[in-house]
Amino acid sequence: MMMLSKSQKKLIASMGQKKYRDLHGLFLAEGNKTVNEFISAGIVPHLLIVSDDWLPDNPELITENLIHVSRNELSSVSFLKTPKGVLALFPQFKYHLNNSAIQNKTVLILDGIQDPGNLGTIIRIADWFGIEHIVCSIDTADFYNPKVVQATMGSAVRVPVHYTDLPEFIVRYKNETQNPVYGTYPGCNNLYHSELSEGCLIIIGNEGNGIRPEVDHLVTGRISIPSYPGGEKTSESLNAGVATAIICSEFRRRLMMPNP
């Protein structure tokens, strides 16, 4: 077993701040499933720190940058309360948003989603429902935040996440397609009674403030998730991740329905 150097510990600790993640072009991942997903996808770790608890899916892929440490040594640098046996630093992904490639796709738009756990969950939901792209406002939580990466459980490797000026992106999208732009709001058109299109944008608003005005006026179809029973007092709202799952499920259910 080895000990981590001071510079290695400092580098790992710096992954908690976006400016240092961007400076080094790296992000941190922990846990067997998450780390193994990245490695199996062919992403070579910049640094791979393992204890005896690590169970690699593809040990033959690990050829360098591996440091075997004790559980205590791993715990000393882990971002988790209960370390998961492996911690890795990976190079950040380089994505390019090709507008023509998404014209016939269902694309999630995140307008100011600030909770890292919500963003990670939404990425995992997108992966489950085959949604290939997520486009975020600049102020949405950072994709490379360790809490986001942890919440994706490896789905981050399959779902490109893009950051851009949303109003500008949506205006360009509407000019290039005739596709609907759906916005999620309370008390609007019932999701289950609305006409839904596969090629579209689905906007999920900020956890507390919803969709901001400069994005709101670009929406062409307002949809809501009805509470049950109708007219009865229920919780005020749904968690952004939960709402996204329900909406994506209904969109995919429509596609799976047999043609009349």
Side-chain angles (χ1 to χ4, degrees):
M1 291 190 181
M2 300 175 63
M3 298 287 287
L4 297 171
S5 67
K6 288 184 178 179
S7 62
Q8 287 169 333
K9 289 184 177 181
K10 183 178 179 181
L11 177 62
I12 294 167
S14 74
M15 293 296 103
Q17 297 185 57
K18 185 180 187 305
K19 65 178 180 180
Y20 293 117
R21 293 194 294 269
D22 292 345
L23 175 65
H24 296 291
L26 299 171
F27 70 95
L28 178 145
E30 296 194 62
N32 285 331
K33 177 169 178 52
T34 301
V35 170
N36 289 339
E37 286 272 14
F38 290 127
I39 292 174
S40 296
I43 303 170
V44 178
H46 175 82
L47 190 62
L48 182 63
I49 302 163
V50 305
S51 72
D52 290 334
D53 298 325
W54 184 46
L55 300 172
D57 286 343
N58 303 95
E60 72 278 2
L61 298 178
I62 310 304
T63 58
E64 56 185 351
N65 303 331
L66 186 150
I67 302 175
H68 188 188
V69 301
S70 67
R71 294 181 185 180
N72 287 339
E73 183 79 349
L74 182 61
S75 296
S76 71
V77 294
S78 174
F79 280 61
L80 303 177
K81 291 182 178 179
T82 306
K84 303 295 185 181
V86 57
L87 179 153
L89 301 186
F90 290 101
Q92 293 186 5
F93 308 135
K94 302 299 181 184
Y95 291 131
H96 174 68
L97 182 57
N98 184 341
N99 289 340
S100 62
I102 66 172
Q103 289 188 4
N104 297 316
K105 305 286 187 179
T106 301
V107 179
L108 281 178
I109 305 294
L110 305 186
D111 185 15
I113 296 295
Q114 296 178 345
D115 182 82
N118 276 342
L119 176 56
T121 299
I122 289 170
I123 293 169
R124 195 174 174 187
I125 290 165
D127 187 24
W128 180 263
F129 287 108
I131 292 176
E132 299 173 10
H133 292 275
I134 296 175
V135 179
C136 302
S137 61
I138 300 299
D139 60 346
T140 290
D142 181 29
F143 174 68
Y144 296 113
N145 183 309
K147 293 181 179 178
V148 174
V149 176
Q150 191 67 29
T152 70
M153 294 296 289
S155 289
V157 77
R158 288 180 292 274
V159 183
V161 177
H162 313 272
Y163 289 81
T164 190
D165 180 291
L166 280 190
E168 181 181 302
F169 167 79
I170 296 171
V171 167
R172 186 168 64 250
Y173 178 89
K174 291 176 69 174
N175 288 338
E176 294 176 356
T177 77
Q178 299 300 314
N179 297 345
V181 177
Y182 298 106
T184 53
Y185 303 83
C188 288
N189 300 323
N190 187 322
L191 169 69
Y192 304 112
H193 299 160
S194 299
E195 182 177 340
L196 304 178
S197 171
E198 180 180 8
C200 69
L201 305 182
I202 304 173
I203 304 174
I204 308 296
N206 174 270
E207 291 91 343
N209 301 318
I211 298 172
R212 73 191 75 199
E214 55 266 41
V215 174
D216 170 74
H217 84 275
L218 298 170
V219 170
T220 61
R222 294 170 176 256
I223 55 176
S224 68
I225 301 169
S227 60
Y228 184 86
E232 297 290 330
K233 183 176 178 58
T234 61
S235 61
E236 183 177 331
S237 62
L238 291 172
N239 170 280
V242 172
T244 302
I246 293 171
I247 291 166
C248 290
S249 177
E250 179 60 14
F251 270 78
R252 288 308 187 230
R253 186 188 72 85
R254 297 288 183 92
L255 290 178
M256 295 171 68
M257 291 175 62
N259 292 324

